[in-house]
Amino acid sequence: MKNIDHKRLDLLVLDARKASESREKGYRERALKIYPWICGRCAREFTHGNLSQLTVHHRDHNHDNNPADGSNWELLCLYCHDNEHQKQMEVDLGNTSIRDARGGGASHSPFANLKALLKTEDKA
């Protein structure tokens, strides 16, 4: 069995975290300048006091795809961001479809009987 070089492993993890934080800082700062500080899902508004709870979500789930115009980003609160990633995980696992993950459509037609109701009122 091979011995694990914990020192080398720790350095590797530290470097990966630093690179991730550096990359995140760059696109996060740009996204916060481009977009209003509002969650794109629940419309919760943020201030300097709670801005740490607003995250940058990559629409295509590729954290290396950071166009200067911000077209791959949306600002989401922590809760909506977690929910978005949960939906994507379910799709990846085959538990649901993209359509269902995005909210799907209405399961019924609320105006299905409207024509008949309007005819009844016209006769009265």
Side-chain angles (χ1 to χ4, degrees):
M1 186 169 150
K2 287 186 177 182
N3 288 335
I4 297 174
D5 184 351
H6 290 284
K7 189 173 183 176
R8 182 172 174 241
L9 185 59
D10 289 344
L11 286 174
L12 183 67
V13 169
L14 182 63
D15 286 345
R17 283 187 180 156
K18 282 181 182 178
S20 175
E21 288 170 4
S22 173
R23 183 177 63 223
E24 182 178 304
K25 255 188 186 170
Y27 67 73
R28 178 176 169 75
E29 295 306 317
R30 291 187 322 210
L32 292 174
K33 287 178 183 176
I34 294 173
Y35 294 111
W37 296 353
I38 299 171
C39 176
R41 294 284 194 273
C42 69
R44 179 177 165 202
E45 296 183 29
F46 292 82
T47 64
H48 285 284
N50 63 356
L51 193 59
S52 63
Q53 297 174 19
L54 188 63
T55 64
V56 179
H57 173 65
H58 289 79
R59 293 177 180 172
D60 69 357
H61 298 271
N62 178 357
H63 289 232
D64 293 321
N65 182 10
N66 295 302
D69 66 354
S71 59
N72 189 38
W73 306 326
E74 63 182 329
L75 297 179
L76 299 177
C77 71
L78 293 172
Y79 306 106
C80 291
H81 194 202
D82 285 348
N83 183 260
E84 184 64 28
H85 280 277
Q86 180 63 39
K87 289 190 293 188
Q88 186 62 41
M89 283 175 36
E90 289 175 9
V91 168
D92 292 344
L93 293 172
N95 295 340
T96 185
S97 70
I98 289 284
R99 182 174 163 264
D100 294 337
R102 299 276 181 232
S107 60
H108 67 286
S109 177
F111 303 111
N113 199 28
L114 183 60
K115 189 174 183 180
L117 289 172
L118 289 174
K119 283 184 180 180
T120 313
E121 286 182 15
D122 288 343
K123 292 180 183 177

